[in-house]
């Protein structure tokens, strides 16, 4: 029997929990990575109350939720999703660098990797000297993860457990929790809840969580090229006026939250912090619904086409970490400085933070890219014109892994509401 868990099947692999057939595909990469439930973009003087709905605990344990969850985990059985994430240099190399920088806190310790996927982070931790790594994975890719562990002769250190972290059982506390839980717009997929569960149940007092903090940003953007490609095209098609297609083109192109890459030149203002997350303190309840008011001042004259959302994740090092620690494997720090704002005015100095994985437009591209909410019609703004309103992000009643977006925005005396679901 391997220490730490009772349902050991040999070769470092344990299967805990039942498997169900998926009803649809969901997950980062490929089909179903984004979508829309409902969008409204019309002048309004009052706000909608639909964003106040929250999934209850009864809903989360219902058979329908179990079906959704089974489909969610089944999507991560597809190798393409894992290939996309591993090939994301900024993502994978930053995690490896964080493990190197925190080697003193990992060597000789017990680590839990929540949602290990193919097991690469678990292997990084083992190479950094972890005494034992519990690699938790609910999707069928756990089978391949176990084979990868064996191929690297780490079966005595890395134990792949096939099951949801909320359902598995181990017989010891852990010193470190590592997880790549961030979804599009940071909170899509609601995987942070699983990290919180693992933290509260298994992390020792004073233990390490990687990443330690995360911050979600938004900013108004201009993107005329995107409108020309999606809408302007129909005004002259081989000399034929097909502008009758424009309303449908706008609906198809701009109803959904779009996952795409923009540049820093598209951003009209300093970004605004929607939510700062301390992974040591955050609760699942406070993530069910997040509302904040924002106020921007445009830096230039341009059409306002929508809002962009992105995030960064911080890997804060222990204060006792020696400088210049040499490790068994090397890595380059590929992350670039993130332009962020305190009170929407001043920069937050990177020197005050640990290693940062940024998905900002000016940073090294990642598979998360940015999430863009486009308007049906742009708003012309002048330099120093105020853009203000509120945004609410909440777990969907349709499926708590989906993300409701309720956006209210005003500028130049006009007010609008846009609602959508990232699913």
């Amino acid at each position: 029997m391997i220490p730490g868990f009772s349902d050991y099947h040999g070769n470092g692999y344990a299967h805990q929990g039942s498997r169900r057939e998926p009803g649809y595909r969901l997950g980062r990469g490929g089909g179903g990575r984004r979508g829309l439930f409902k969008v409204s973009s019309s002048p309004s003087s009052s706000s909608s109350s639909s964003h106040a709905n929250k999934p209850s605990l009864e809903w989360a344990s219902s058979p329908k939720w179990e079906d959704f969850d089974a489909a969610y985990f089944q999507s991560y059985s597809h190798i393409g999703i894992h290939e996309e994430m591993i090939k994301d240099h900024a993502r994978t190399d930053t995690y490896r660098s964080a493990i190197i920088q925190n080697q003193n806190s990992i060597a000789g310790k017990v680590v839990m990797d929540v949602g290990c996927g193919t097991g690469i982070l678990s292997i990084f931790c083992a190479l950094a000297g972890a005494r034992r790594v519990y690699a938790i994975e609910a999707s069928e890719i756990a089978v391949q993860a176990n084979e990868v562990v064996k191929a690297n002769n780490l079966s005595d250190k890395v134990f792949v457990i096939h099951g949801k972290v909320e359902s598995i059982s181990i017989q010891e506390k852990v010193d470190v929790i590592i997880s790549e839980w961030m979804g599009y717009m940071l909170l899509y997929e609601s995987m942070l809840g699983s990290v919180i569960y693992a933290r509260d149940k298994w992390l020792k007092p004073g233990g390490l969580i990687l990443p330690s903090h995360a911050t979600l940003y938004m900013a108004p953007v201009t993107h005329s090229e995107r409108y020309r490609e999606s809408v302007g095209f129909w005004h002259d098609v081989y000399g034929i006026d097909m502008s009758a297609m424009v309303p449908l083109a706008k609906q198809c192109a701009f109803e959904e939250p779009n996952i795409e890459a923009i540049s820093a030149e598209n951003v009209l203002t300093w970004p605004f912090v929607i939510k700062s997350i301390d992974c040591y303190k955050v609760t699942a309840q406070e993530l069910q619904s997040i509302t904040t008011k924002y106020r921007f001042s445009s830096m230039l004259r341009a059409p306002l086409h929508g809002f962009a959302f992105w995030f960064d994740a911080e890997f804060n090092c222990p204060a006792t970490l020696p400088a210049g620690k040499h490790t068994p494997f090397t890595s380059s720090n590929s992350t670039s400085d993130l332009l962020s704002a305190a009170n929407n005015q001043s920069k937050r100095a990177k020197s005050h933070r640990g290693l940062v994985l940024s998905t900002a437009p000016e940073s090294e591209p990642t598979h998360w890219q940015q999430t863009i909410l486009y308007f049906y019609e742009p708003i012309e703004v002048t330099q120093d014109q105020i853009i203000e309103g509120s945004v609410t992000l909440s777990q969907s009643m349709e499926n708590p892994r989906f993300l409701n977006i309720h956006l209210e925005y005003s500028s130049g005396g006009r007010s609008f509401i846009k609602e959508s679901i990232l699913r």
Side-chain angles (χ1 to χ4, degrees):
M1 186 69 66
I2 297 297
F5 57 88
S6 56
D7 190 19
Y8 177 62
H9 287 197
N11 296 322
Y13 174 80
H15 182 188
Q16 299 190 9
S18 60
R19 305 300 302 154
R20 302 184 65 175
E21 290 300 316
Y24 61 94
R25 177 181 169 83
L26 176 69
R28 277 181 267 173
R33 73 178 184 179
R34 51 187 171 141
L36 170 88
F37 178 64
K38 177 184 178 183
V39 172
S40 172
S41 184
S42 57
S44 173
S45 59
S46 62
S47 63
S48 169
S49 62
S50 63
H51 62 276
N53 295 329
K54 299 178 183 179
S56 65
L57 294 176
E58 290 79 8
W59 166 251
S61 61
S62 69
K64 188 174 184 180
W65 162 244
E66 291 178 2
D67 288 339
F68 282 142
D69 227 23
Y72 166 74
F73 288 120
Q74 185 62 25
S75 73
Y76 278 91
S77 299
H78 194 281
I79 192 173
I81 295 175
H82 299 280
E83 180 180 353
E84 178 186 37
M85 291 190 291
I86 290 174
K87 285 182 175 178
D88 182 339
H89 178 266
R91 166 199 179 269
T92 306
D93 194 59
T94 302
Y95 268 88
R96 183 173 64 164
S97 296
I99 291 167
I100 292 171
Q101 291 189 14
N102 287 278
Q103 187 171 11
N104 280 7
S105 299
I106 293 172
K109 302 298 180 61
V110 179
V111 178
M112 175 176 283
D113 182 356
V114 179
C116 72
T118 56
I120 189 168
L121 301 186
S122 296
I123 291 174
F124 286 163
C125 289
L127 294 176
R131 175 167 57 87
R132 184 176 300 125
V133 182
Y134 295 110
I136 316 299
E137 176 56 45
S139 81
E140 300 293 339
I141 205 71
V143 176
Q144 284 73 36
N146 187 59
E147 294 301 313
V148 171
V149 169
K150 289 194 294 184
N152 286 274
N153 299 314
L154 290 172
S155 295
D156 61 332
K157 287 190 174 184
V158 180
F159 306 115
V160 179
I161 303 178
H162 187 182
K164 294 169 59 177
V165 72
E166 295 85 354
S167 303
I168 62 104
S169 176
I170 63 174
Q171 270 65 58
E172 64 179 327
K173 296 288 187 177
V174 303
D175 302 282
V176 180
I177 292 176
I178 190 168
S179 179
E180 196 275 78
W181 54 264
M182 299 84 73
Y184 296 125
M185 214 168 169
L186 186 62
L187 298 175
Y188 173 63
E189 300 182 27
S190 300
M191 191 178 161
L192 179 55
S194 295
V195 176
I196 294 170
Y197 180 92
R199 177 200 69 192
D200 293 346
K201 186 167 184 178
W202 285 297
L203 187 64
K204 293 178 182 178
L208 177 67
I209 302 177
L210 297 174
S212 58
H213 298 78
T215 306
L216 177 63
Y217 301 90
M218 71 178 290
V221 295
T222 184
H223 203 341
S224 297
E225 182 180 358
R226 179 74 159 82
Y227 269 69
R228 285 195 297 268
E229 292 175 350
S230 301
V231 178
F233 162 80
W234 294 103
H235 290 291
D236 184 353
V237 182
Y238 292 93
I240 300 172
D241 181 0
M242 299 189 70
S243 56
M245 300 292 295
V246 166
L248 180 60
K250 290 180 179 179
Q251 181 180 2
C252 292
F254 304 137
E255 273 187 346
E256 301 181 356
N258 287 265
I259 309 300
E260 60 186 71
I262 59 172
S263 69
E265 287 71 26
N266 295 114
V267 182
L268 290 173
T269 72
W270 291 110
F272 178 85
V273 175
I274 295 177
K275 178 68 174 177
S276 295
I277 294 173
D278 182 339
C279 293
Y280 293 97
K281 299 178 181 179
V282 66
T283 66
Q285 289 73 23
E286 71 182 87
L287 297 175
Q288 288 182 348
S289 184
I290 298 166
T291 299
T292 187
K293 294 182 179 179
Y294 60 83
R295 180 181 172 89
F296 298 103
S297 178
S298 180
M299 292 181 175
L300 65 157
R301 182 186 183 93
L304 169 61
H305 290 110
F307 288 90
F309 299 80
W310 65 84
F311 66 88
D312 60 15
E314 299 176 37
F315 301 79
N316 288 339
C317 304
T320 56
L321 180 71
K325 175 73 177 179
H326 294 290
T327 60
F329 53 103
T330 60
S331 173
S332 61
N333 186 351
S334 62
T335 58
S336 60
D337 289 340
L338 172 66
L339 294 176
S340 59
N343 298 322
N344 203 32
Q345 293 292 329
S346 62
K347 296 180 182 179
R348 183 182 182 188
K350 187 177 177 182
S351 60
H352 296 159
R353 312 161 81 186
L355 190 64
V356 177
L357 169 59
S358 173
T359 66
E362 69 273 11
S363 298
E364 180 178 356
T366 71
H367 76 280
W368 287 284
Q369 302 182 84
Q370 290 83 44
T371 302
I372 317 294
L373 265 65
Y374 285 108
F375 309 150
Y376 285 136
E377 299 291 343
I379 300 173
E380 292 293 333
V381 297
T382 60
Q383 186 174 351
D384 300 323
Q385 182 170 324
I386 300 301
I387 305 161
E388 60 186 344
S390 66
V391 60
T392 296
L393 308 178
S394 58
Q395 290 179 334
S396 171
M397 288 296 294
E398 179 185 359
N399 180 340
R401 292 204 183 275
F402 297 166
L403 189 64
N404 281 344
I405 307 167
H406 177 90
L407 178 67
E408 300 181 17
Y409 57 101
S410 300
S411 191
R414 304 174 66 195
S415 297
F416 302 87
I417 292 177
K418 184 180 180 73
E419 293 184 334
S420 57
I421 291 185
L422 185 59
R423 62 177 179 176

